[in-house]
Amino acid sequence: MTRRRIPVPDTLADSTLADLKRRHFLRQCSTGLGAMFLGTLAHPLLGAGKTPAHGGRLDFSRPASSPLSPLAPQFTPRARRVIYVHMAGAPSNLELFDYKPELARQDGKDCPQSFLEGKSFAFISGVPKMLGPQYPFAQAGQSGAWMSDQVPHLTRHVDKMCFVRSMRTDQFNHSPAQLAVQTGSARLGHPSIGSWVTYGLGTENQNLPGFVVLKSGQNSPDAGKPLWGSGFLPSVYQGVECRSAGEPILYLRNPGDVSRDQRRAMLDVLDRMNQRTASEYGDPETLTRIAQYEMAFRMQTEAAQVLDISREPAHVLAAYGATPGDGSFASNCLIARRLVENDVRFVQLYHWGWDSHGAAAAEALNLGFKDLCRETDQPVAALLADLDQRGLLDDTLVVWGGEFGRTPMRENRGGQEMRYVGRDHNPNAFTIWMAGGGVKAGTSYGETDEMGYEVVKDPVQIRDLHATMLYLLGFDHHRLNFPFQGLDQKLTGVEHAKVVAGLVA
Amino acid sequence: MSRDGAEAWSVKRYLLVVLLATLAALGTVAWARPSMFTSIVVVAGLGYHRESALPDSFYSVRVAPILEEQCAGCHGPRLQRARLRLDTLGDVKLGGKNGAVVKAGHPQESELFTRLLLPKSDKRAMPAGNKPPLSPDEIKVIELWIASGASGRTAVAAIAGAPPPPPAPIVIANFDAEAVARARAPLKDALESLSARYPGAIAYLSRDSADLSVDAQRLGAAFTDANLAELAPLAAAVTRLDLSNTAVTDGATATLAAFERLETLRLNETKVGDELLSATANLRNLQSLTVIGTRVTPDRVAQLRQKGLRVHDARD
């Protein structure tokens, strides 16, 4: 009979585990459990009756059957709904809204070393050349803001707009930067602004989603669906993607041989089964699923009507430059107006293609960029005018922006002069603008240096922009929160965020 | 005797030398390290007058907030880098271990100003470390203050050419739930029964307010003048009223006049005309009126616009 060999662990972790005898385990376990128990006690004992630094908890609970029912904001809001126009790919502020005459004088000269030290770029290598603004600028409106000749329609509404020229981000690649702008975090798993807003305010029209997403351009934004995901919030708050070409919402319509009554009967059976699952497992996501089926059933009639822009008179279609069913940004802008008119809380538009590196004609500042301006300038301008005429701009917040800015240096991929003109990514400075709902119209906030490379006055972090948006919607950003993983999670994260007083009318 | 006299003389001489040496040392300190001299004077209790600023002076209104936000982290109550504090006017005038930082009337000779202009690569540049530089406006404010004599008494208006002040920071007050409940109490019962009758149409404007928003839009043609009249008990609390797409007519004029605190009124796609708008004479807080797709005449719209009302009729 051979004695059993004691196995020799091959890693340190294994040996630690092997050394842990049963008695040790139990002893450590009991203190561990004790500490955990005290941890659970500590909160009510120490925290009881104490108001947290930012006031008591706001109640966002709703009946499971109506997770989107409206809730009042914390204080009287300036904006009741939002249209966020995200220009995916990061449009060049230096060719649109941030006029830099000194950069024009430096055009073609070597970039100063101070611009390159300690910086990392996506593509620029060696010593690039400075690149002057590619289009002429002129002052416009009462406010005298400098506007490029690529946005002639928008220029007429310059006195409705509030420019933030001093936006900064800490991400210089598209996906994380888009996530940062849209969810407040560069990592996956956080709710988008639209999700936070529908969680906080619900929506008045229960026959439409509270948060609608419309995409245009050749591609989806780089970070994809997580941009309008609900993260750790219940999934009922995620954005619902609608289309302006073909079926407005995929899989919403009944198949040809299924009547509305049959659909109802089917949903009733499904509802009973789901209710049983819900009571058995208690997973709130089951209740979310039931609510979503019911919303889809109600949407079948109303959504189709609201999303159908062929009902608009010809002069409105012409003003936007929209053709029903073309899936264009123009159509999406018109749909956005129809949606907010029907009390949709948050409309998110994406238009892809602004990544003007200059590596191909489509992404050249002197070619593709012009097309993008032509596709988007008139519709956004028409949207502002239309909202204004309908009295909706008073309490609708419109936000336009990309995920970062672009360098004042010409991109020189691989150290070579490229065939087309382009700029690399610049997270240190970019411009966004807002209009409507409580923003200071006809103003500019913040400044960049003479080259438009760095912010020199009143920097605005993305979390500051988010805090300001939530303020306009009637929330202290600390108090629009959701407990998850032991933290009261917020759109603005844990770093200090401030409401930018200079943007609020 | 002479020996005693010589002794007394030598003690006197000794004291004189000590006195002269002390004065010379103090003089040197006063010349080279004014702040240390001031400290010595203060410690010796020799009645040094600490300068303080008037609350409405240029210093208090414009300069102090900048120093507080940009400098006091390292030069304040918590840390005193270079033995310098910048959180009160007295401290600013006192200077640090390298002497005074302000020479009244001469910004170019005042380190409080000149150090702000140094390039980031200079290790004497302020603010130090990773802190971003002061904005051009902030630097200008400090320069103007020193140039004007660095006083705590000069009024804000007395210093010309200062850039406009930044807007006051937004402070969101915590609301008092009990006070809100008290404000809501008088209409609580009426609101409950009417909310049950018109579900989803009536809501508080916010959690900290007793004002109401009424949105009858989704009730559509089922909502008539009679229904609006039923809301009369709540009328004085409503600040936002949306009757778009309803069957409301000019017959509701008297009812509407009771909604005297209205700020926003929307009447799109209804059969109302100029008559209903006569009720707006009673709505003193009204700011925004929307009458798209109604019988309201352009003349009436023009008239109301002249009174300063924002009227939206989608015809312009």
Side-chain angles (χ1 to χ4, degrees):
Chain A
M1 211 172 144
T2 51
R3 262 178 59 184
R4 257 179 71 197
R5 244 183 93 218
I6 298 168
V8 180
D10 27 67
T11 70
L12 193 65
D14 286 347
S15 74
T16 316
L17 204 62
D19 287 345
L20 194 71
K21 298 292 179 292
R22 185 182 57 90
R23 280 162 197 263
H24 290 138
F25 173 74
L26 284 177
R27 190 158 65 219
Q28 288 181 357
C29 191
S30 57
T31 47
L33 284 177
M36 280 158 74
F37 169 69
L38 280 175
T40 60
L41 272 186
H43 182 64
L45 282 178
L46 302 174
K50 234 168 72 175
T51 317
H54 300 290
R57 177 173 288 284
L58 296 181
D59 182 11
F60 295 104
S61 61
R62 300 165 166 96
S65 59
S66 55
L68 288 169
S69 56
L71 289 177
Q74 182 185 340
F75 46 85
T76 304
R78 308 294 298 272
R80 302 170 63 87
R81 52 195 101 74
V82 180
I83 299 176
Y84 194 127
V85 185
H86 181 88
M87 294 301 187
S92 171
N93 39 321
L94 300 168
E95 266 68 38
L96 291 171
F97 309 117
D98 204 10
Y99 178 48
K100 294 295 159 191
E102 181 56 29
L103 182 59
R105 282 187 277 277
Q106 299 293 324
D107 184 60
K109 296 189 183 150
D110 275 353
C111 167
Q113 270 305 318
S114 60
F115 277 26
L116 304 172
E117 277 160 15
K119 292 283 191 318
S120 46
F121 298 96
F123 292 105
I124 282 178
S125 56
V127 179
K129 304 271 191 244
M130 301 308 285
L131 179 67
Q134 296 298 294
Y135 300 103
F137 277 68
Q139 280 185 293
Q142 294 280 310
S143 56
W146 288 89
M147 300 285 280
S148 133
D149 75 346
Q150 292 303 296
V151 283
H153 292 90
L154 210 46
T155 299
R156 288 205 293 273
H157 301 285
V158 73
D159 290 332
K160 297 188 180 81
M161 298 157 75
C162 169
F163 294 93
V164 189
R165 299 184 199 281
S166 51
M167 288 299 305
R168 307 190 58 173
T169 176
D170 49 9
Q171 298 296 323
F172 77 105
N173 279 319
H174 294 289
S175 289
Q178 287 168 359
L179 282 167
V181 167
Q182 298 276 282
T183 75
S185 167
R187 282 167 292 123
L188 293 167
H190 291 256
S192 61
I193 318 171
S195 300
W196 278 112
V197 171
T198 33
Y199 162 72
L201 293 172
T203 184
E204 261 117 46
N205 187 345
Q206 297 298 311
N207 302 336
L208 289 174
F211 173 19
V212 173
V213 178
L214 293 155
K215 297 186 308 190
S216 54
Q218 307 237 314
N219 279 320
S220 282
D222 308 70
K225 286 190 167 61
L227 290 178
W228 55 93
S230 54
F232 43 71
L233 290 177
S235 52
V236 69
Y237 300 113
Q238 70 188 312
V240 174
E241 198 181 328
C242 297
R243 311 188 312 158
S244 57
E247 285 278 299
I249 301 178
L250 286 175
Y251 318 118
L252 182 68
R253 202 169 53 170
N254 290 331
D257 46 358
V258 177
S259 73
R260 198 158 161 80
D261 292 339
Q262 283 171 311
R263 176 63 76 190
R264 181 70 261 169
M266 203 189 100
L267 284 177
D268 287 342
V269 174
L270 197 59
D271 180 53
R272 281 200 296 279
M273 289 163 68
N274 278 333
Q275 289 290 0
R276 196 189 303 163
T277 312
S279 57
E280 208 168 316
Y281 296 101
D283 184 351
E285 284 293 301
T286 315
L287 298 171
T288 293
R289 174 57 66 92
I290 297 171
Q292 276 166 327
Y293 274 126
E294 290 302 323
M295 184 177 76
F297 183 72
R298 293 191 304 268
M299 271 166 53
Q300 281 187 324
T301 45
E302 186 153 350
Q305 286 171 21
V306 173
L307 291 162
D308 180 8
I309 56 168
S310 68
R311 293 160 181 262
E312 288 285 331
H315 74 271
V316 174
L317 289 168
Y320 282 83
T323 311
D326 65 354
S328 66
F329 179 74
S331 296
N332 287 352
C333 282
L334 181 48
I335 292 175
R337 192 270 288 160
R338 290 175 65 86
L339 288 169
V340 296
E341 202 173 32
N342 283 280
D343 286 330
V344 169
R345 186 67 71 186
F346 200 104
V347 182
Q348 176 70 55
L349 303 187
Y350 292 100
H351 191 68
W352 180 89
W354 294 93
D355 198 13
S356 311
H357 285 286
E363 51 173 60
L365 281 174
N366 43 353
L367 294 165
F369 181 84
K370 273 175 112 153
D371 296 336
L372 285 161
C373 290
R374 208 177 306 120
E375 286 163 25
T376 57
D377 173 43
Q378 183 186 346
V380 176
L383 177 63
L384 287 184
D386 203 6
L387 290 173
D388 192 24
Q389 281 188 0
R390 286 163 194 269
L392 290 167
L393 197 59
D394 289 347
D395 54 7
T396 303
L397 175 64
V398 181
V399 185
W400 181 104
E403 62 265 29
F404 41 63
R406 306 207 77 94
T407 55
M409 297 83 91
R410 179 170 177 186
E411 183 167 324
N412 59 345
R413 200 169 290 197
Q416 307 282 313
E417 180 168 320
M418 290 153 72
R419 193 162 151 214
Y420 300 103
V421 179
R423 299 183 188 277
D424 206 347
H425 304 171
N426 180 14
N428 301 318
F430 62 112
T431 302
I432 63 135
W433 60 260
M434 301 196 275
V439 302
K440 211 178 264 178
T443 56
S444 287
Y445 186 84
E447 263 172 44
T448 52
D449 59 26
E450 285 184 322
M451 304 289 166
Y453 189 45
E454 303 256 14
V455 172
V456 292
K457 190 182 167 195
D458 298 330
V460 177
Q461 303 288 344
I462 287 169
R463 54 183 177 274
D464 301 332
L465 173 72
H466 289 163
T468 310
M469 288 176 68
L470 294 182
Y471 174 78
L472 294 170
L473 288 160
F475 282 107
D476 174 352
H477 62 96
H478 293 289
R479 298 187 72 181
L480 178 59
N481 57 29
F482 182 82
F484 178 69
Q485 289 185 336
L487 191 65
D488 281 343
Q489 306 275 352
K490 309 175 290 189
L491 172 62
T492 49
V494 292
E495 283 177 84
H496 175 72
K498 62 174 189 296
V499 177
V500 184
L503 304 178
V504 179
Chain B
M1 183 70 196
S2 73
R3 196 188 178 90
D4 282 359
E7 215 163 70
W9 184 81
S10 91
V11 168
K12 246 188 221 165
R13 199 167 62 166
Y14 169 74
L15 285 174
L16 190 68
V17 168
V18 168
L19 183 69
L20 282 175
T22 313
L23 283 175
L26 278 174
T28 314
V29 169
W31 171 71
R33 296 275 191 275
S35 73
M36 199 190 282
F37 179 70
T38 328
S39 311
I40 293 168
V41 174
V42 172
V43 169
L46 293 175
Y48 170 75
H49 173 65
R50 261 178 85 90
E51 213 176 324
S52 60
L54 294 174
D56 54 355
S57 63
F58 187 85
Y59 174 80
S60 301
V61 176
R62 301 300 308 274
V63 181
I66 299 172
L67 299 180
E68 177 63 39
E69 182 178 335
Q70 302 280 6
C71 317
C74 302
H75 303 292
R78 202 171 57 86
L79 273 175
Q80 297 86 39
R81 290 267 155 81
R83 275 183 264 131
L84 173 66
R85 281 181 71 156
L86 296 172
D87 52 328
T88 69
L89 181 60
D91 292 312
V92 174
K93 290 303 201 58
L94 211 54
K97 74 171 184 196
N98 295 326
V101 294
V102 172
K103 186 172 178 198
H106 302 279
Q108 297 302 336
E109 293 163 47
S110 304
E111 283 194 88
L112 186 69
F113 171 67
T114 54
R115 285 218 186 187
L116 302 176
L117 305 178
L118 296 173
K120 200 80 208 158
S121 51
D122 191 318
K123 68 178 205 222
R124 298 180 313 130
M126 286 290 150
N130 283 330
K131 282 198 75 178
L134 268 66
S135 75
D137 281 1
E138 289 172 323
I139 294 175
K140 185 83 193 156
V141 165
I142 289 172
E143 182 185 6
L144 286 172
W145 174 67
I146 298 174
S148 74
S151 155
R153 322 216 137 241
T154 315
V156 177
I159 297 179
I170 288 177
V171 181
I172 301 167
N174 275 333
F175 65 89
D176 177 358
E178 283 171 28
V180 174
R182 274 197 301 280
R184 289 177 176 184
L187 291 180
K188 195 165 173 281
D189 295 338
L191 179 64
E192 256 169 40
S193 64
L194 285 166
S195 292
R197 181 151 158 68
Y198 302 105
I202 315 166
Y204 287 113
L205 221 54
S206 62
R207 296 177 191 238
D208 70 353
S209 147
D211 294 347
L212 297 172
S213 161
V214 173
D215 189 346
Q217 211 188 152
R218 311 214 61 75
L219 301 171
F223 193 87
T224 64
D225 293 353
N227 299 112
L228 186 63
E230 283 182 35
L231 299 181
L234 303 176
V238 179
T239 58
R240 185 177 187 282
L241 178 61
D242 194 339
L243 299 173
S244 302
N245 306 324
T246 64
V248 167
T249 68
D250 284 349
T253 308
T255 318
L256 185 63
F259 286 77
E260 54 190 27
R261 289 183 52 231
L262 276 189
E263 290 167 13
T264 307
L265 175 61
R266 293 176 65 84
L267 298 165
N268 296 342
E269 309 301 333
T270 56
K271 296 201 170 64
V272 306
D274 290 357
E275 196 193 328
L276 185 81
L277 296 192
S278 63
T280 59
N282 205 37
L283 313 179
R284 283 188 199 89
N285 297 340
L286 194 63
Q287 291 161 15
S288 170
L289 171 69
T290 313
V291 288
I292 302 163
T294 63
R295 294 176 185 162
V296 176
T297 60
D299 285 352
R300 190 78 177 99
V301 169
Q303 218 176 23
L304 290 168
R305 280 191 182 145
Q306 241 167 20
K307 285 196 206 162
L309 200 58
R310 281 200 309 274
V311 188
H312 309 278
D313 67 350
R315 272 187 284 233
D316 33 21

